[in-house]
mmCIF file of all heavy atoms in Angstrom:
data_model
loop_
_atom_site.group_PDB
_atom_site.id
_atom_site.type_symbol
_atom_site.label_atom_id
_atom_site.label_comp_id
_atom_site.label_asym_id
_atom_site.label_seq_id
_atom_site.Cartn_x
_atom_site.Cartn_y
_atom_site.Cartn_z
ATOM 1 N N SER A 1015 -22.230 -9.497 -9.616
ATOM 2 C CA SER A 1015 -23.566 -9.088 -9.214
ATOM 3 C C SER A 1015 -24.526 -9.253 -10.500
ATOM 4 O O SER A 1015 -25.655 -9.657 -10.324
ATOM 5 C CB SER A 1015 -23.600 -7.680 -8.767
ATOM 6 O OG SER A 1015 -23.052 -6.758 -9.742
ATOM 7 N N GLU A 1016 -24.048 -8.978 -11.699
ATOM 8 C CA GLU A 1016 -24.895 -9.163 -12.915
ATOM 9 C C GLU A 1016 -25.136 -10.663 -13.140
ATOM 10 O O GLU A 1016 -26.289 -11.071 -13.431
ATOM 11 C CB GLU A 1016 -24.233 -8.585 -14.080
ATOM 12 C CG GLU A 1016 -25.059 -8.677 -15.350
ATOM 13 C CD GLU A 1016 -24.321 -8.061 -16.549
ATOM 14 O OE1 GLU A 1016 -23.188 -7.653 -16.458
ATOM 15 O OE2 GLU A 1016 -24.914 -8.049 -17.582
ATOM 16 N N GLN A 1017 -24.188 -11.501 -12.951
ATOM 17 C CA GLN A 1017 -24.318 -12.915 -13.150
ATOM 18 C C GLN A 1017 -25.339 -13.520 -12.067
ATOM 19 O O GLN A 1017 -26.053 -14.486 -12.391
ATOM 20 C CB GLN A 1017 -22.992 -13.655 -13.040
ATOM 21 C CG GLN A 1017 -22.077 -13.316 -14.243
ATOM 22 C CD GLN A 1017 -20.624 -13.759 -13.993
ATOM 23 O OE1 GLN A 1017 -20.274 -14.084 -12.893
ATOM 24 N NE2 GLN A 1017 -19.836 -13.791 -15.007
ATOM 25 N N VAL A 1018 -25.301 -12.951 -10.926
ATOM 26 C CA VAL A 1018 -26.255 -13.480 -9.901
ATOM 27 C C VAL A 1018 -27.694 -13.216 -10.374
ATOM 28 O O VAL A 1018 -28.555 -14.099 -10.240
ATOM 29 C CB VAL A 1018 -26.016 -12.672 -8.594
ATOM 30 C CG1 VAL A 1018 -27.145 -12.929 -7.583
ATOM 31 C CG2 VAL A 1018 -24.703 -13.060 -7.944
ATOM 32 N N GLU A 1019 -27.961 -12.084 -10.982
ATOM 33 C CA GLU A 1019 -29.401 -11.794 -11.518
ATOM 34 C C GLU A 1019 -29.674 -12.725 -12.629
ATOM 35 O O GLU A 1019 -30.777 -13.227 -12.767
ATOM 36 C CB GLU A 1019 -29.398 -10.381 -11.966
ATOM 37 C CG GLU A 1019 -29.187 -9.316 -10.821
ATOM 38 C CD GLU A 1019 -29.284 -7.914 -11.364
ATOM 39 O OE1 GLU A 1019 -29.594 -7.702 -12.522
ATOM 40 O OE2 GLU A 1019 -28.963 -7.043 -10.527
ATOM 41 N N ILE A 1020 -28.724 -12.923 -13.521
ATOM 42 C CA ILE A 1020 -28.898 -13.907 -14.636
ATOM 43 C C ILE A 1020 -29.301 -15.246 -14.202
ATOM 44 O O ILE A 1020 -30.283 -15.871 -14.666
ATOM 45 C CB ILE A 1020 -27.746 -13.921 -15.611
ATOM 46 C CG1 ILE A 1020 -27.554 -12.530 -16.261
ATOM 47 C CG2 ILE A 1020 -27.885 -14.987 -16.633
ATOM 48 C CD1 ILE A 1020 -26.268 -12.460 -17.033
ATOM 49 N N ILE A 1021 -28.502 -15.825 -13.257
ATOM 50 C CA ILE A 1021 -28.695 -17.195 -12.904
ATOM 51 C C ILE A 1021 -30.005 -17.334 -11.993
ATOM 52 O O ILE A 1021 -30.645 -18.373 -12.068
ATOM 53 C CB ILE A 1021 -27.475 -17.726 -12.097
ATOM 54 C CG1 ILE A 1021 -27.520 -19.251 -12.154
ATOM 55 C CG2 ILE A 1021 -27.516 -17.312 -10.680
ATOM 56 C CD1 ILE A 1021 -26.187 -19.895 -11.749
ATOM 57 N N THR A 1022 -30.327 -16.234 -11.268
ATOM 58 C CA THR A 1022 -31.574 -16.347 -10.473
ATOM 59 C C THR A 1022 -32.777 -16.349 -11.396
ATOM 60 O O THR A 1022 -33.728 -17.183 -11.216
ATOM 61 C CB THR A 1022 -31.642 -15.099 -9.620
ATOM 62 O OG1 THR A 1022 -30.549 -15.050 -8.702
ATOM 63 C CG2 THR A 1022 -32.930 -15.171 -8.796
ATOM 64 N N GLU A 1023 -32.753 -15.544 -12.480
ATOM 65 C CA GLU A 1023 -33.857 -15.556 -13.495
ATOM 66 C C GLU A 1023 -33.914 -16.975 -14.166
ATOM 67 O O GLU A 1023 -34.973 -17.482 -14.340
ATOM 68 C CB GLU A 1023 -33.645 -14.488 -14.493
ATOM 69 C CG GLU A 1023 -34.597 -14.422 -15.631
ATOM 70 C CD GLU A 1023 -34.251 -13.403 -16.681
ATOM 71 O OE1 GLU A 1023 -33.511 -12.416 -16.366
ATOM 72 O OE2 GLU A 1023 -34.699 -13.555 -17.796
ATOM 73 N N ALA A 1024 -32.680 -17.440 -14.545
ATOM 74 C CA ALA A 1024 -32.697 -18.773 -15.237
ATOM 75 C C ALA A 1024 -33.258 -19.848 -14.310
ATOM 76 O O ALA A 1024 -33.855 -20.816 -14.819
ATOM 77 C CB ALA A 1024 -31.296 -19.022 -15.654
ATOM 78 N N ALA A 1025 -32.887 -19.852 -13.076
ATOM 79 C CA ALA A 1025 -33.323 -20.876 -12.114
ATOM 80 C C ALA A 1025 -34.924 -20.854 -12.031
ATOM 81 O O ALA A 1025 -35.464 -21.972 -11.955
ATOM 82 C CB ALA A 1025 -32.689 -20.698 -10.778
ATOM 83 N N GLN A 1026 -35.477 -19.706 -12.022
ATOM 84 C CA GLN A 1026 -36.937 -19.598 -12.028
ATOM 85 C C GLN A 1026 -37.577 -20.104 -13.263
ATOM 86 O O GLN A 1026 -38.543 -20.876 -13.151
ATOM 87 C CB GLN A 1026 -37.310 -18.137 -11.742
ATOM 88 C CG GLN A 1026 -36.991 -17.623 -10.360
ATOM 89 C CD GLN A 1026 -37.255 -16.164 -10.143
ATOM 90 O OE1 GLN A 1026 -37.634 -15.437 -11.137
ATOM 91 N NE2 GLN A 1026 -37.235 -15.728 -8.929
ATOM 92 N N ILE A 1027 -37.070 -19.746 -14.349
ATOM 93 C CA ILE A 1027 -37.545 -20.203 -15.666
ATOM 94 C C ILE A 1027 -37.527 -21.722 -15.776
ATOM 95 O O ILE A 1027 -38.362 -22.390 -16.191
ATOM 96 C CB ILE A 1027 -36.822 -19.556 -16.841
ATOM 97 C CG1 ILE A 1027 -37.121 -18.010 -16.793
ATOM 98 C CG2 ILE A 1027 -37.288 -20.118 -18.193
ATOM 99 C CD1 ILE A 1027 -36.365 -17.224 -17.808
ATOM 100 N N SER A 1028 -36.353 -22.287 -15.353
ATOM 101 C CA SER A 1028 -36.053 -23.706 -15.598
ATOM 102 C C SER A 1028 -36.524 -24.567 -14.387
ATOM 103 O O SER A 1028 -36.290 -25.739 -14.334
ATOM 104 C CB SER A 1028 -34.661 -23.965 -15.836
ATOM 105 O OG SER A 1028 -33.873 -23.598 -14.756
ATOM 106 N N ASN A 1029 -37.245 -23.947 -13.413
ATOM 107 C CA ASN A 1029 -37.704 -24.647 -12.275
ATOM 108 C C ASN A 1029 -36.550 -25.295 -11.509
ATOM 109 O O ASN A 1029 -36.619 -26.427 -11.153
ATOM 110 C CB ASN A 1029 -38.689 -25.688 -12.617
ATOM 111 C CG ASN A 1029 -39.502 -26.225 -11.433
ATOM 112 O OD1 ASN A 1029 -39.637 -25.549 -10.440
ATOM 113 N ND2 ASN A 1029 -40.085 -27.429 -11.562
ATOM 114 N N ASN A 1030 -35.519 -24.504 -11.357
ATOM 115 C CA ASN A 1030 -34.328 -25.014 -10.584
ATOM 116 C C ASN A 1030 -33.613 -26.194 -11.273
ATOM 117 O O ASN A 1030 -33.037 -27.022 -10.498
ATOM 118 C CB ASN A 1030 -34.659 -25.270 -9.124
ATOM 119 C CG ASN A 1030 -34.871 -24.032 -8.328
ATOM 120 O OD1 ASN A 1030 -34.237 -22.931 -8.543
ATOM 121 N ND2 ASN A 1030 -35.912 -24.073 -7.500
ATOM 122 N N LYS A 1031 -33.714 -26.279 -12.527
ATOM 123 C CA LYS A 1031 -33.069 -27.429 -13.181
ATOM 124 C C LYS A 1031 -32.016 -26.871 -14.121
ATOM 125 O O LYS A 1031 -32.208 -26.732 -15.345
ATOM 126 C CB LYS A 1031 -34.060 -28.271 -13.921
ATOM 127 C CG LYS A 1031 -34.996 -29.076 -13.085
ATOM 128 C CD LYS A 1031 -34.264 -30.143 -12.287
ATOM 129 C CE LYS A 1031 -35.210 -30.985 -11.410
ATOM 130 N NZ LYS A 1031 -34.455 -31.922 -10.603
ATOM 131 N N LEU A 1032 -30.874 -26.573 -13.614
ATOM 132 C CA LEU A 1032 -29.747 -26.122 -14.282
ATOM 133 C C LEU A 1032 -28.711 -27.214 -14.454
ATOM 134 O O LEU A 1032 -28.531 -28.163 -13.650
ATOM 135 C CB LEU A 1032 -29.069 -24.888 -13.603
ATOM 136 C CG LEU A 1032 -29.995 -23.662 -13.428
ATOM 137 C CD1 LEU A 1032 -29.231 -22.579 -12.596
ATOM 138 C CD2 LEU A 1032 -30.448 -23.117 -14.737
#
Side-chain angles (χ1 to χ4, degrees):
S1015 57
E1016 183 182 3
Q1017 292 167 343
V1018 171
E1019 296 178 6
I1020 292 173
I1021 204 167
T1022 301
E1023 176 184 337
Q1026 293 177 347
I1027 295 174
S1028 63
N1029 194 25
N1030 288 322
K1031 290 296 182 181
L1032 300 175

